Amino acid sequence: MDWAYLFEICLTGLSGGGLYALAALAFVMVYKATRVVNIAIGELLMVGAYLFFTFASMFALPLWLAIPAAVLGTGLLGAVIERTMIRPLLGEPPISVFMVTVGLASVLVGLVEMIWSADQRRLPEFMPTQPIMVGEAFLAPKVFWGAVVAVVFIAAVLLVFRFWRGGVALRATASDQAAAYSVGINVPRVFSLAWVVSAMIAAVSGIIVGSIGGISSSMGVFGLSVLVVVIVGGLDSVLGALVGGLLIGLVEALAGSYLGGEYKLLATFLVLVAILMVRPYGLFGTHEIERL
């Protein structure tokens, strides 16, 4: 066995897994606070990438302005979605909210194709292009720097929500909504905050993913892999999102290299089924026990 080649594949897989972990964090942020399964996370990621394309390429804004504008614009979209589509459904069966997010995904794809067309586009270059060598292993520079940005951003988000007052309120609401209400926390506002932050994280992820492989109206397919990641790690677990992202990234890289690219999705779903058979709530998901 060529160990250098295997090491290179593992590095690529872990780097790609970092991008999955960042997008999975956006998913977990909403589910943990609101118990909404946001199936449209891939489409929010797509919108963030297209907004960056608009600001950077069409409006010719400098990158230091285009990236924050795209992230803030997607965050605003998250707030509008929560206020107009999700909040009116509070107290309704979970399947109703789930189907709204399924419809939302289709609506966002339709809007992107109406505004920007379905053609694939390239984002402006903003990451270093020097080859990355780790020992004898080669790592694509965009994948490497994308993973670095993802890790830094994940760390920043976790630190902010560990010490910021809004983060404390979000964690309290995620633990027990009734208790959060009783101590004066504005729970609907926390729900809105969760959607805004989730959409902003998705936008950052979309910009990174788009810079690596280009952008198109089919980018939302990335959300399918993200959904696998969060189910494997545990729907309400931030640690699960991080570990699940790295695991699925590694599995995809190994399957793609040794079995062929067409087997990547099959391999990830086999891992998903195997883990759920042993741990139905995911690797780090909360095991909920309800009293009848």
Side-chain angles (χ1 to χ4, degrees):
M1 179 180 288
D2 189 343
W3 293 104
Y5 179 60
L6 178 61
F7 179 59
E8 185 174 301
I9 293 169
C10 291
L11 278 180
T12 302
L14 292 174
S15 298
L19 301 181
Y20 282 146
L22 180 60
L25 181 61
F27 185 103
V28 170
M29 191 73 67
V30 164
Y31 184 82
K32 195 172 177 64
T34 67
R35 288 297 186 266
V36 172
V37 176
N38 180 17
I39 206 73
I41 194 68
E43 282 68 27
L44 284 173
L45 178 146
M46 172 189 67
V47 168
Y50 269 96
L51 285 178
F52 172 63
F53 171 79
T54 301
F55 292 132
S57 296
M58 295 183 172
F59 296 167
L61 295 180
L63 292 176
W64 61 268
L65 199 55
I67 293 175
V71 172
L72 290 173
T74 313
L76 180 61
L77 174 63
V80 171
I81 290 169
E82 190 278 332
R83 192 68 184 86
T84 59
M85 299 182 185
I86 304 301
R87 192 175 298 186
L89 292 175
L90 283 178
E92 297 297 325
I95 188 65
S96 301
V97 188
F98 174 78
M99 290 309 299
V100 165
T101 66
V102 172
L104 172 64
S106 298
V107 168
L108 291 178
V109 170
L111 286 174
V112 163
E113 291 184 349
M114 285 173 58
I115 298 171
W116 290 281
S117 83
D119 299 335
Q120 186 162 7
R121 301 173 184 271
R122 301 293 303 178
L123 292 182
E125 298 287 346
F126 64 92
M127 289 192 281
T129 55
Q130 287 291 104
I132 303 297
M133 301 297 296
V134 181
E136 296 182 359
F138 168 78
L139 196 58
K142 287 185 177 181
V143 174
F144 172 79
W145 290 110
V148 169
V149 172
V151 168
V152 170
F153 202 80
I154 289 169
V157 169
L158 295 181
L159 284 174
V160 165
F161 277 88
R162 175 69 179 83
F163 298 106
W164 177 47
R165 184 178 176 184
V168 174
L170 194 150
R171 287 189 288 118
T173 304
S175 298
D176 190 327
Q177 290 183 16
Y181 263 120
S182 68
V183 295
I185 293 175
N186 188 332
V187 173
R189 185 175 294 174
V190 171
F191 286 176
S192 185
L193 172 67
W195 274 88
V196 169
V197 173
S198 173
M200 291 171 73
I201 295 172
V204 173
S205 182
I207 292 169
I208 298 172
V209 172
S211 71
I212 295 171
I215 61 173
S216 71
S217 58
S218 62
M219 276 184 75
V221 174
F222 185 82
L224 182 61
S225 295
V226 173
L227 187 60
V228 173
V229 167
V230 294
I231 293 174
V232 165
L235 285 170
D236 61 348
S237 172
V238 172
L239 176 61
L242 306 185
V243 173
L246 296 177
L247 175 62
I248 295 302
L250 196 57
V251 168
E252 279 196 354
L254 291 170
S257 297
Y258 289 106
L259 300 177
E262 64 272 21
Y263 292 101
K264 287 165 64 173
L265 200 58
L266 173 63
T268 57
F269 276 96
L270 286 175
V271 170
L272 172 64
V273 171
I275 289 176
L276 290 183
M277 289 175 65
V278 179
R279 297 185 66 86
Y281 290 91
L283 293 174
F284 300 97
T286 303
H287 187 178
E288 296 181 0
I289 301 175
E290 295 185 6
R291 180 172 297 174
L292 298 178

